Amino acid sequence: MVERGVRFVQLYHSTWDDHSNLNANLKTNCDMTDLPAAGLITDLAQRGLLEDTLVVWGGNWGDTDARDPGTSGRAVRPDHHRFAFSMLFYGGGFRGGTVIGQTDELGYHPTEDAIHAHDLQATMLHCLGFDHELLTYRHQGVTSG
């Protein structure tokens, strides 16, 4: 699709939001997605398409392992939080090997170089050749876009 000029392609893997059996389910999900994701990036690189293609790997929010107090700490389940999450960017002008930000030992709160969602979106738009300022509007003192 990218080779034929499709400007936006979105792929989903919908079973990441596990609330039980986290260790086994995480392995299953990684086994199902690692090879295809690597194949996509390899194919784009071989075809010279990574300069103009931005690959974004992300989720709805961060998950952190937490012991469930309701089961005497035996069960491991994710604790959803909105303060920090991980994303991977490849191609499209991103410098390879760059890591920005750090969290506390639980992966819950940012401790270094936190990036606001607006800045993340502006960076992605810039890499795709858009001026985010042209897509920004201000309403009641809040900048959106």
PDB file of all heavy atoms in Angstrom, residues 15-30 63 65-68 71 74-78:
ATOM      1  N   THR A  15      -5.380  -7.346  21.117  1.00  0.00           N
ATOM      2  CA  THR A  15      -5.455  -8.131  22.352  1.00  0.00           C
ATOM      3  C   THR A  15      -4.391  -7.762  23.385  1.00  0.00           C
ATOM      4  O   THR A  15      -4.052  -8.555  24.241  1.00  0.00           O
ATOM      5  CB  THR A  15      -5.352  -9.640  22.052  1.00  0.00           C
ATOM      6  OG1 THR A  15      -4.071  -9.898  21.472  1.00  0.00           O
ATOM      7  CG2 THR A  15      -6.454 -10.103  21.131  1.00  0.00           C
ATOM      8  N   TRP A  16      -3.872  -6.527  23.347  1.00  0.00           N
ATOM      9  CA  TRP A  16      -2.844  -6.131  24.293  1.00  0.00           C
ATOM     10  C   TRP A  16      -3.390  -5.826  25.677  1.00  0.00           C
ATOM     11  O   TRP A  16      -2.673  -5.840  26.654  1.00  0.00           O
ATOM     12  CB  TRP A  16      -2.107  -4.884  23.794  1.00  0.00           C
ATOM     13  CG  TRP A  16      -1.159  -5.158  22.686  1.00  0.00           C
ATOM     14  CD1 TRP A  16      -1.346  -4.857  21.380  1.00  0.00           C
ATOM     15  CD2 TRP A  16       0.112  -5.789  22.767  1.00  0.00           C
ATOM     16  NE1 TRP A  16      -0.274  -5.259  20.651  1.00  0.00           N
ATOM     17  CE2 TRP A  16       0.643  -5.840  21.478  1.00  0.00           C
ATOM     18  CE3 TRP A  16       0.864  -6.320  23.815  1.00  0.00           C
ATOM     19  CZ2 TRP A  16       1.884  -6.379  21.194  1.00  0.00           C
ATOM     20  CZ3 TRP A  16       2.099  -6.873  23.526  1.00  0.00           C
ATOM     21  CH2 TRP A  16       2.595  -6.896  22.235  1.00  0.00           C
ATOM     22  N   ASP A  17      -4.644  -5.476  25.787  1.00  0.00           N
ATOM     23  CA  ASP A  17      -5.193  -4.987  27.052  1.00  0.00           C
ATOM     24  C   ASP A  17      -5.627  -6.156  27.929  1.00  0.00           C
ATOM     25  O   ASP A  17      -6.806  -6.359  28.192  1.00  0.00           O
ATOM     26  CB  ASP A  17      -6.357  -4.044  26.777  1.00  0.00           C
ATOM     27  CG  ASP A  17      -6.716  -3.211  27.984  1.00  0.00           C
ATOM     28  OD1 ASP A  17      -5.902  -3.116  28.920  1.00  0.00           O
ATOM     29  OD2 ASP A  17      -7.825  -2.656  28.000  1.00  0.00           O
ATOM     30  N   ASP A  18      -4.662  -6.907  28.415  1.00  0.00           N
ATOM     31  CA  ASP A  18      -4.949  -8.083  29.240  1.00  0.00           C
ATOM     32  C   ASP A  18      -5.081  -7.686  30.702  1.00  0.00           C
ATOM     33  O   ASP A  18      -4.320  -6.874  31.210  1.00  0.00           O
ATOM     34  CB  ASP A  18      -3.820  -9.111  29.103  1.00  0.00           C
ATOM     35  CG  ASP A  18      -3.757  -9.678  27.710  1.00  0.00           C
ATOM     36  OD1 ASP A  18      -4.809 -10.109  27.203  1.00  0.00           O
ATOM     37  OD2 ASP A  18      -2.666  -9.675  27.121  1.00  0.00           O
ATOM     38  N   HIS A  19      -6.037  -8.308  31.375  1.00  0.00           N
ATOM     39  CA  HIS A  19      -6.241  -8.033  32.792  1.00  0.00           C
ATOM     40  C   HIS A  19      -6.029  -9.276  33.655  1.00  0.00           C
ATOM     41  O   HIS A  19      -6.284  -9.255  34.846  1.00  0.00           O
ATOM     42  CB  HIS A  19      -7.651  -7.473  33.021  1.00  0.00           C
ATOM     43  CG  HIS A  19      -7.797  -6.098  32.445  1.00  0.00           C
ATOM     44  ND1 HIS A  19      -7.521  -4.972  33.164  1.00  0.00           N
ATOM     45  CD2 HIS A  19      -8.146  -5.678  31.208  1.00  0.00           C
ATOM     46  CE1 HIS A  19      -7.709  -3.909  32.406  1.00  0.00           C
ATOM     47  NE2 HIS A  19      -8.090  -4.316  31.215  1.00  0.00           N
ATOM     48  N   SER A  20      -5.573 -10.330  33.032  1.00  0.00           N
ATOM     49  CA  SER A  20      -5.243 -11.539  33.779  1.00  0.00           C
ATOM     50  C   SER A  20      -4.218 -12.326  32.972  1.00  0.00           C
ATOM     51  O   SER A  20      -4.056 -12.099  31.780  1.00  0.00           O
ATOM     52  CB  SER A  20      -6.498 -12.389  34.034  1.00  0.00           C
ATOM     53  OG  SER A  20      -7.040 -12.822  32.808  1.00  0.00           O
ATOM     54  N   ASN A  21      -3.528 -13.234  33.640  1.00  0.00           N
ATOM     55  CA  ASN A  21      -2.546 -14.088  32.980  1.00  0.00           C
ATOM     56  C   ASN A  21      -1.560 -13.260  32.144  1.00  0.00           C
ATOM     57  O   ASN A  21      -1.245 -13.607  31.021  1.00  0.00           O
ATOM     58  CB  ASN A  21      -3.273 -15.135  32.128  1.00  0.00           C
ATOM     59  CG  ASN A  21      -2.412 -16.332  31.847  1.00  0.00           C
ATOM     60  OD1 ASN A  21      -1.406 -16.561  32.515  1.00  0.00           O
ATOM     61  ND2 ASN A  21      -2.786 -17.102  30.847  1.00  0.00           N
ATOM     62  N   LEU A  22      -1.114 -12.160  32.730  1.00  0.00           N
ATOM     63  CA  LEU A  22      -0.327 -11.174  32.004  1.00  0.00           C
ATOM     64  C   LEU A  22       0.955 -11.746  31.408  1.00  0.00           C
ATOM     65  O   LEU A  22       1.266 -11.499  30.244  1.00  0.00           O
ATOM     66  CB  LEU A  22       0.002  -9.992  32.914  1.00  0.00           C
ATOM     67  CG  LEU A  22       0.781  -8.848  32.275  1.00  0.00           C
ATOM     68  CD1 LEU A  22       0.012  -8.233  31.134  1.00  0.00           C
ATOM     69  CD2 LEU A  22       1.131  -7.816  33.313  1.00  0.00           C
ATOM     70  N   ASN A  23       1.716 -12.497  32.158  1.00  0.00           N
ATOM     71  CA  ASN A  23       3.003 -12.999  31.648  1.00  0.00           C
ATOM     72  C   ASN A  23       2.823 -13.872  30.416  1.00  0.00           C
ATOM     73  O   ASN A  23       3.508 -13.703  29.413  1.00  0.00           O
ATOM     74  CB  ASN A  23       3.752 -13.750  32.744  1.00  0.00           C
ATOM     75  CG  ASN A  23       4.261 -12.819  33.826  1.00  0.00           C
ATOM     76  OD1 ASN A  23       4.495 -11.644  33.582  1.00  0.00           O
ATOM     77  ND2 ASN A  23       4.395 -13.339  35.027  1.00  0.00           N
ATOM     78  N   ALA A  24       1.893 -14.800  30.452  1.00  0.00           N
ATOM     79  CA  ALA A  24       1.661 -15.680  29.300  1.00  0.00           C
ATOM     80  C   ALA A  24       1.075 -14.904  28.129  1.00  0.00           C
ATOM     81  O   ALA A  24       1.485 -15.098  26.977  1.00  0.00           O
ATOM     82  CB  ALA A  24       0.732 -16.829  29.692  1.00  0.00           C
ATOM     83  N   ASN A  25       0.126 -14.014  28.412  1.00  0.00           N
ATOM     84  CA  ASN A  25      -0.516 -13.261  27.328  1.00  0.00           C
ATOM     85  C   ASN A  25       0.450 -12.289  26.668  1.00  0.00           C
ATOM     86  O   ASN A  25       0.406 -12.097  25.449  1.00  0.00           O
ATOM     87  CB  ASN A  25      -1.744 -12.520  27.849  1.00  0.00           C
ATOM     88  CG  ASN A  25      -2.876 -13.462  28.193  1.00  0.00           C
ATOM     89  OD1 ASN A  25      -2.902 -14.613  27.758  1.00  0.00           O
ATOM     90  ND2 ASN A  25      -3.810 -12.995  28.987  1.00  0.00           N
ATOM     91  N   LEU A  26       1.326 -11.678  27.443  1.00  0.00           N
ATOM     92  CA  LEU A  26       2.303 -10.773  26.868  1.00  0.00           C
ATOM     93  C   LEU A  26       3.238 -11.525  25.925  1.00  0.00           C
ATOM     94  O   LEU A  26       3.530 -11.057  24.826  1.00  0.00           O
ATOM     95  CB  LEU A  26       3.105 -10.080  27.971  1.00  0.00           C
ATOM     96  CG  LEU A  26       4.156  -9.081  27.494  1.00  0.00           C
ATOM     97  CD1 LEU A  26       3.523  -7.947  26.700  1.00  0.00           C
ATOM     98  CD2 LEU A  26       4.940  -8.541  28.674  1.00  0.00           C
ATOM     99  N   LYS A  27       3.679 -12.700  26.330  1.00  0.00           N
ATOM    100  CA  LYS A  27       4.535 -13.504  25.455  1.00  0.00           C
ATOM    101  C   LYS A  27       3.799 -13.869  24.170  1.00  0.00           C
ATOM    102  O   LYS A  27       4.349 -13.760  23.080  1.00  0.00           O
ATOM    103  CB  LYS A  27       5.014 -14.758  26.160  1.00  0.00           C
ATOM    104  CG  LYS A  27       5.924 -15.594  25.242  1.00  0.00           C
ATOM    105  CD  LYS A  27       6.479 -16.794  25.911  1.00  0.00           C
ATOM    106  CE  LYS A  27       7.351 -17.652  25.031  1.00  0.00           C
ATOM    107  NZ  LYS A  27       7.443 -17.385  23.617  1.00  0.00           N
ATOM    108  N   THR A  28       2.541 -14.272  24.286  1.00  0.00           N
ATOM    109  CA  THR A  28       1.748 -14.623  23.102  1.00  0.00           C
ATOM    110  C   THR A  28       1.625 -13.428  22.159  1.00  0.00           C
ATOM    111  O   THR A  28       1.818 -13.552  20.949  1.00  0.00           O
ATOM    112  CB  THR A  28       0.351 -15.118  23.521  1.00  0.00           C
ATOM    113  OG1 THR A  28       0.503 -16.290  24.312  1.00  0.00           O
ATOM    114  CG2 THR A  28      -0.516 -15.420  22.323  1.00  0.00           C
ATOM    115  N   ASN A  29       1.295 -12.252  22.715  1.00  0.00           N
ATOM    116  CA  ASN A  29       1.146 -11.062  21.876  1.00  0.00           C
ATOM    117  C   ASN A  29       2.457 -10.673  21.215  1.00  0.00           C
ATOM    118  O   ASN A  29       2.475 -10.311  20.033  1.00  0.00           O
ATOM    119  CB  ASN A  29       0.602  -9.898  22.708  1.00  0.00           C
ATOM    120  CG  ASN A  29      -0.866 -10.051  22.991  1.00  0.00           C
ATOM    121  OD1 ASN A  29      -1.644 -10.421  22.120  1.00  0.00           O
ATOM    122  ND2 ASN A  29      -1.261  -9.770  24.209  1.00  0.00           N
ATOM    123  N   CYS A  30       3.553 -10.738  21.956  1.00  0.00           N
ATOM    124  CA  CYS A  30       4.858 -10.421  21.368  1.00  0.00           C
ATOM    125  C   CYS A  30       5.224 -11.426  20.277  1.00  0.00           C
ATOM    126  O   CYS A  30       5.742 -11.037  19.222  1.00  0.00           O
ATOM    127  CB  CYS A  30       5.931 -10.370  22.450  1.00  0.00           C
ATOM    128  SG  CYS A  30       5.792  -8.946  23.538  1.00  0.00           S
ATOM    129  N   ASP A  63       0.896   0.618  30.768  1.00  0.00           N
ATOM    130  CA  ASP A  63       0.549  -0.456  31.696  1.00  0.00           C
ATOM    131  C   ASP A  63       1.768  -0.711  32.568  1.00  0.00           C
ATOM    132  O   ASP A  63       2.899  -0.627  32.112  1.00  0.00           O
ATOM    133  CB  ASP A  63       0.224  -1.769  30.961  1.00  0.00           C
ATOM    134  CG  ASP A  63      -1.146  -1.755  30.316  1.00  0.00           C
ATOM    135  OD1 ASP A  63      -1.978  -0.917  30.713  1.00  0.00           O
ATOM    136  OD2 ASP A  63      -1.382  -2.571  29.422  1.00  0.00           O
ATOM    137  N   ASP A  65       3.076  -3.530  35.704  1.00  0.00           N
ATOM    138  CA  ASP A  65       2.738  -4.721  36.494  1.00  0.00           C
ATOM    139  C   ASP A  65       2.422  -4.301  37.920  1.00  0.00           C
ATOM    140  O   ASP A  65       3.132  -3.512  38.518  1.00  0.00           O
ATOM    141  CB  ASP A  65       3.902  -5.706  36.519  1.00  0.00           C
ATOM    142  CG  ASP A  65       4.075  -6.413  35.193  1.00  0.00           C
ATOM    143  OD1 ASP A  65       3.124  -6.408  34.399  1.00  0.00           O
ATOM    144  OD2 ASP A  65       5.148  -6.970  34.960  1.00  0.00           O
ATOM    145  N   ALA A  66       1.381  -4.870  38.478  1.00  0.00           N
ATOM    146  CA  ALA A  66       1.016  -4.571  39.865  1.00  0.00           C
ATOM    147  C   ALA A  66       0.508  -5.844  40.521  1.00  0.00           C
ATOM    148  O   ALA A  66      -0.134  -6.663  39.880  1.00  0.00           O
ATOM    149  CB  ALA A  66      -0.067  -3.496  39.918  1.00  0.00           C
ATOM    150  N   ARG A  67       0.813  -5.998  41.770  1.00  0.00           N
ATOM    151  CA  ARG A  67       0.295  -7.131  42.538  1.00  0.00           C
ATOM    152  C   ARG A  67      -1.133  -6.826  42.951  1.00  0.00           C
ATOM    153  O   ARG A  67      -1.434  -5.739  43.414  1.00  0.00           O
ATOM    154  CB  ARG A  67       1.150  -7.389  43.769  1.00  0.00           C
ATOM    155  CG  ARG A  67       2.563  -7.775  43.436  1.00  0.00           C
ATOM    156  CD  ARG A  67       2.611  -9.184  42.912  1.00  0.00           C
ATOM    157  NE  ARG A  67       3.952  -9.468  42.427  1.00  0.00           N
ATOM    158  CZ  ARG A  67       4.293 -10.621  41.915  1.00  0.00           C
ATOM    159  NH1 ARG A  67       3.434 -11.594  41.822  1.00  0.00           N
ATOM    160  NH2 ARG A  67       5.515 -10.818  41.492  1.00  0.00           N
ATOM    161  N   ASP A  68      -2.005  -7.769  42.760  1.00  0.00           N
ATOM    162  CA  ASP A  68      -3.414  -7.594  43.089  1.00  0.00           C
ATOM    163  C   ASP A  68      -3.623  -7.860  44.570  1.00  0.00           C
ATOM    164  O   ASP A  68      -3.510  -8.999  45.020  1.00  0.00           O
ATOM    165  CB  ASP A  68      -4.249  -8.554  42.246  1.00  0.00           C
ATOM    166  CG  ASP A  68      -5.736  -8.317  42.390  1.00  0.00           C
ATOM    167  OD1 ASP A  68      -6.144  -7.605  43.336  1.00  0.00           O
ATOM    168  OD2 ASP A  68      -6.491  -8.830  41.561  1.00  0.00           O
ATOM    169  N   THR A  71      -5.889 -10.746  46.000  1.00  0.00           N
ATOM    170  CA  THR A  71      -5.502 -12.161  45.959  1.00  0.00           C
ATOM    171  C   THR A  71      -4.194 -12.386  46.695  1.00  0.00           C
ATOM    172  O   THR A  71      -3.389 -13.198  46.292  1.00  0.00           O
ATOM    173  CB  THR A  71      -5.383 -12.656  44.510  1.00  0.00           C
ATOM    174  OG1 THR A  71      -4.414 -11.841  43.844  1.00  0.00           O
ATOM    175  CG2 THR A  71      -6.705 -12.588  43.783  1.00  0.00           C
ATOM    176  N   ARG A  74      -0.738 -12.556  44.796  1.00  0.00           N
ATOM    177  CA  ARG A  74      -0.300 -13.650  43.927  1.00  0.00           C
ATOM    178  C   ARG A  74      -0.490 -13.328  42.450  1.00  0.00           C
ATOM    179  O   ARG A  74       0.335 -13.677  41.633  1.00  0.00           O
ATOM    180  CB  ARG A  74      -1.058 -14.923  44.278  1.00  0.00           C
ATOM    181  CG  ARG A  74      -0.657 -15.522  45.605  1.00  0.00           C
ATOM    182  CD  ARG A  74      -1.321 -16.868  45.804  1.00  0.00           C
ATOM    183  NE  ARG A  74      -2.751 -16.839  45.556  1.00  0.00           N
ATOM    184  CZ  ARG A  74      -3.688 -16.649  46.482  1.00  0.00           C
ATOM    185  NH1 ARG A  74      -3.342 -16.465  47.732  1.00  0.00           N
ATOM    186  NH2 ARG A  74      -4.955 -16.642  46.179  1.00  0.00           N
ATOM    187  N   ALA A  75      -1.604 -12.720  42.083  1.00  0.00           N
ATOM    188  CA  ALA A  75      -1.904 -12.483  40.671  1.00  0.00           C
ATOM    189  C   ALA A  75      -1.187 -11.236  40.182  1.00  0.00           C
ATOM    190  O   ALA A  75      -1.112 -10.240  40.883  1.00  0.00           O
ATOM    191  CB  ALA A  75      -3.409 -12.332  40.476  1.00  0.00           C
ATOM    192  N   VAL A  76      -0.671 -11.302  38.986  1.00  0.00           N
ATOM    193  CA  VAL A  76      -0.047 -10.142  38.364  1.00  0.00           C
ATOM    194  C   VAL A  76      -1.002  -9.644  37.292  1.00  0.00           C
ATOM    195  O   VAL A  76      -1.461 -10.402  36.462  1.00  0.00           O
ATOM    196  CB  VAL A  76       1.321 -10.503  37.744  1.00  0.00           C
ATOM    197  CG1 VAL A  76       1.898  -9.316  37.007  1.00  0.00           C
ATOM    198  CG2 VAL A  76       2.267 -10.995  38.811  1.00  0.00           C
ATOM    199  N   ARG A  77      -1.311  -8.358  37.347  1.00  0.00           N
ATOM    200  CA  ARG A  77      -2.185  -7.747  36.349  1.00  0.00           C
ATOM    201  C   ARG A  77      -1.663  -6.351  36.049  1.00  0.00           C
ATOM    202  O   ARG A  77      -0.944  -5.769  36.848  1.00  0.00           O
ATOM    203  CB  ARG A  77      -3.612  -7.682  36.860  1.00  0.00           C
ATOM    204  CG  ARG A  77      -3.757  -6.776  38.059  1.00  0.00           C
ATOM    205  CD  ARG A  77      -5.216  -6.653  38.483  1.00  0.00           C
ATOM    206  NE  ARG A  77      -5.291  -5.898  39.704  1.00  0.00           N
ATOM    207  CZ  ARG A  77      -5.264  -4.571  39.791  1.00  0.00           C
ATOM    208  NH1 ARG A  77      -5.174  -3.862  38.699  1.00  0.00           N
ATOM    209  NH2 ARG A  77      -5.319  -3.963  40.945  1.00  0.00           N
ATOM    210  N   PRO A  78      -2.028  -5.772  34.896  1.00  0.00           N
ATOM    211  CA  PRO A  78      -1.556  -4.426  34.597  1.00  0.00           C
ATOM    212  C   PRO A  78      -2.359  -3.388  35.364  1.00  0.00           C
ATOM    213  O   PRO A  78      -3.539  -3.565  35.626  1.00  0.00           O
ATOM    214  CB  PRO A  78      -1.796  -4.289  33.096  1.00  0.00           C
ATOM    215  CG  PRO A  78      -2.919  -5.221  32.809  1.00  0.00           C
ATOM    216  CD  PRO A  78      -2.787  -6.356  33.792  1.00  0.00           C
TER     217      PRO A  78
END
